[in-house]
Amino acid sequence: MNLTLGSLFVKNLDSKILGFKLSDMETTDARPATDVLDDLLAAWRESRPDLDPSPLGVVGRVIILARHLEQSVCAALAKHELTLGQFDILATLRRHGPKGRLTPSELLGSVMLSSGGMTARLDKLEEAALITRGTDADDRRKVVIELTAKGKRLIDAATVTRFDEARASLPKLPPAELEALEGLLRKWLASLGEPA
């Protein structure tokens, strides 16, 4: 495990090291047993008492959770032979109606990809017959992306899997605590200028 202050660098620090799965978290008012991050913070306090490593307790755990959640969703989507990026594109189209009908620019504004990354993913989705690219009836200069019937079936099934996976990944907390957690995360994202 490596972790430096200055620029946060975490290597080989994941939920396996911490010994938990998100869905196995118990709901208690008592503080859970210490984990490797607590040990890391104690070591920093000992070796560098002039620095306050406490922010790493939150940030490090968020990094670990993000890595765990991404691995979990990728494993779930692999059952549908989709990557997270492909799912994101198909789901964005599906949210805009049965066929989608979005221009590449509209689609790009709804997903977190570069235009080059978007083109490569669209090419693969089109090769798999999950989307088509056509011209807009009102403006033939515009390209419009639509889900095919096969694409709609796939994204509808993958969305059920994705929602089930998200539900299973939640910690076992009372609804009020989950709501509070969501609110705090939303506030943190807003402070970074990210849409929540």
Side-chain angles (χ1 to χ4, degrees):
M1 169 185 59
N2 295 323
L3 189 66
T4 61
L5 289 171
S7 67
L8 184 62
F9 172 71
V10 178
K11 182 177 178 188
N12 299 329
L13 184 61
D14 60 27
S15 58
K16 289 179 185 170
I17 291 172
L18 294 178
F20 73 89
K21 285 189 348 188
L22 294 179
S23 58
D24 291 339
M25 287 179 63
E26 293 296 321
T27 303
T28 66
D29 290 333
R31 186 174 180 191
T34 61
D35 59 32
V36 74
L37 276 171
D38 291 320
D39 296 340
L40 180 138
L41 296 175
W44 275 119
R45 286 184 185 104
E46 178 74 23
S47 64
R48 290 294 308 268
D50 58 313
L51 296 175
D52 176 16
S54 60
L56 297 178
V58 174
V59 173
R61 286 178 178 91
V62 169
I63 290 169
I64 293 164
L65 290 169
R67 193 172 297 147
H68 169 80
L69 292 170
E70 186 171 357
Q71 289 171 354
S72 179
V73 71
C74 287
L77 293 175
K79 297 170 189 167
H80 298 280
E81 298 181 12
L82 287 174
T83 66
L84 184 54
Q86 292 168 333
F87 174 85
D88 195 15
I89 291 170
L90 295 174
T92 299
L93 288 167
R94 183 64 179 95
R95 285 192 307 271
H96 284 84
K99 289 191 169 191
R101 291 198 53 80
L102 293 174
T103 66
S105 297
E106 292 168 333
L107 191 55
L108 190 59
S110 299
V111 297
M112 300 175 86
L113 293 172
S114 67
S115 58
M118 173 69 76
T119 300
R121 285 199 175 105
L122 290 176
D123 288 345
K124 286 188 177 189
L125 293 170
E126 190 171 34
E127 286 171 19
L130 300 173
I131 63 164
T132 60
R133 294 183 222 192
T135 55
D136 187 309
D138 297 329
D139 183 351
R140 295 191 54 80
R141 294 171 296 171
K142 282 188 184 177
V143 173
V144 177
I145 301 161
E146 292 184 346
L147 288 169
T148 63
K150 178 182 175 183
K152 182 179 178 295
R153 284 191 305 274
L154 179 64
I155 193 57
D156 284 349
T159 300
V160 171
T161 300
R162 174 67 178 106
F163 284 21
D164 288 345
E165 179 278 328
R167 189 174 300 103
S169 291
L170 286 174
K172 294 176 182 170
L173 296 173
E177 288 185 18
L178 283 174
E179 188 175 329
L181 177 59
E182 183 179 11
L184 291 170
L185 292 171
R186 183 181 295 112
K187 190 183 287 188
W188 190 356
L189 284 172
S191 76
L192 300 174
E194 295 290 330

